[in-house]
Amino acid sequence: MKHLFEPAKTPNAPTLVLFHGTGGTERDLLPLAGRIDPNAAVLSVRGNVLENGMPRFFRRLAEGVFDEEDLKLRTKETYDFLIDAAKEYKLDRSSFVAIGYSNGANIAGSLLFHYRDAFRKAILHHPMVPLRGLKLPDLSRVSVFIGAGTNDPICAPQETEELGALLTGAGASVEVHWERYGHQLTGSEVQAAANWYQGGK
Ligand code: MLT
């Protein structure tokens, strides 16, 4: 997959894996990486799907209606990419931390739903429930921060609660942070994610 890699600034630092929103690129979330962990390695991925020229991580049939077959296929494709990238750049797979926004949070969420070892931690900004009716893996070693909007027109608060409950039910430690700016990713939400991460959750 098209991506950008920046090595860690200190030995044994984790790897932040960045997933942009619809229409974004692998450069979009770089400022977030600097605020979350400036010493970390950065592996920032571009989605392989194009929707009217806009990069995404999987196809959708309509706004908020996912093409589930494509989502499953792209989830495996992305997981395989992470394994290959870890080998290529000599990264410790067990230190991978996802940071995703919107469509990028949804592919990161789908990776958590499918694989117990995809990420050690995940920061999901405005995610949805990626798939329903799936038996989740044991996520008891995984911590998740969810940034959500009480008035997000794309993801209703009930869906955020549902996602949190599904992840918690699989053993993950989950913190939900609420904002009131719709689907936007605000500076205060990024700060809350940084506080969560730096607090060692
Ligand atoms: C999605 O398609 O993943 C969600 O609707 C969010 C987005 O607009 O990208």
Side-chain angles (χ1 to χ4, degrees):
M1 296 175 78
K2 186 164 167 47
H3 65 280
L4 178 156
F5 176 71
E6 289 175 5
K9 313 276 186 308
T10 54
N12 303 322
T15 299
L16 304 179
V17 187
L18 312 184
F19 300 98
H20 62 78
T22 300
T25 75
E26 64 280 12
R27 307 207 68 83
D28 287 12
L29 301 191
L30 293 178
L32 267 61
R35 290 198 41 197
I36 300 294
D37 187 344
N39 291 322
V42 175
L43 179 63
S44 188
V45 193
R46 185 185 293 201
N48 264 349
V49 166
L50 280 180
E51 181 187 90
N52 302 322
M54 296 187 296
R56 284 177 54 85
F57 288 92
F58 55 88
R59 291 183 207 288
R60 61 180 164 184
L61 307 172
E63 174 73 57
V65 185
F66 301 156
D67 177 337
E68 294 198 358
E69 285 319 303
D70 190 63
L71 173 55
K72 288 177 190 164
L73 190 145
R74 300 291 174 185
T75 300
K76 178 162 188 333
E77 178 182 61
T78 307
Y79 184 73
D80 291 345
F81 165 78
L82 295 179
I83 292 174
D84 291 347
K87 282 195 198 123
E88 181 180 349
Y89 298 117
K90 301 191 172 34
L91 303 170
D92 173 8
R93 277 274 300 115
S94 69
S95 79
F96 276 23
V97 177
I99 305 180
Y101 168 60
S102 193
N103 182 245
N106 292 338
I107 192 74
S110 181
L111 281 156
L112 292 173
F113 271 36
H114 284 87
Y115 302 102
R116 67 197 295 274
D117 62 348
F119 302 112
R120 169 77 188 79
K121 298 179 188 185
I123 296 175
L124 307 179
H125 294 291
H126 300 263
M128 297 169 67
V129 174
L131 285 164
R132 291 187 170 80
L134 204 68
K135 180 169 171 13
L136 269 57
D138 174 7
L139 296 177
S140 50
R141 288 167 39 82
V142 180
S143 306
V144 184
F145 172 96
I146 297 177
T150 51
N151 55 349
D152 187 331
I154 294 177
C155 182
Q158 299 88 305
E159 185 159 350
T160 304
E161 305 282 10
E162 185 187 350
L163 177 63
L166 287 168
L167 291 168
T168 306
S173 144
V174 178
E175 181 166 316
V176 181
H177 169 84
W178 293 97
E179 296 267 328
R180 290 190 305 276
Y181 295 93
H183 198 61
Q184 282 180 61
L185 177 47
T186 61
S188 60
E189 184 173 318
V190 175
Q191 190 55 48
N195 294 346
W196 172 84
Y197 178 90
Q198 288 155 16
K201 298 282 174 57

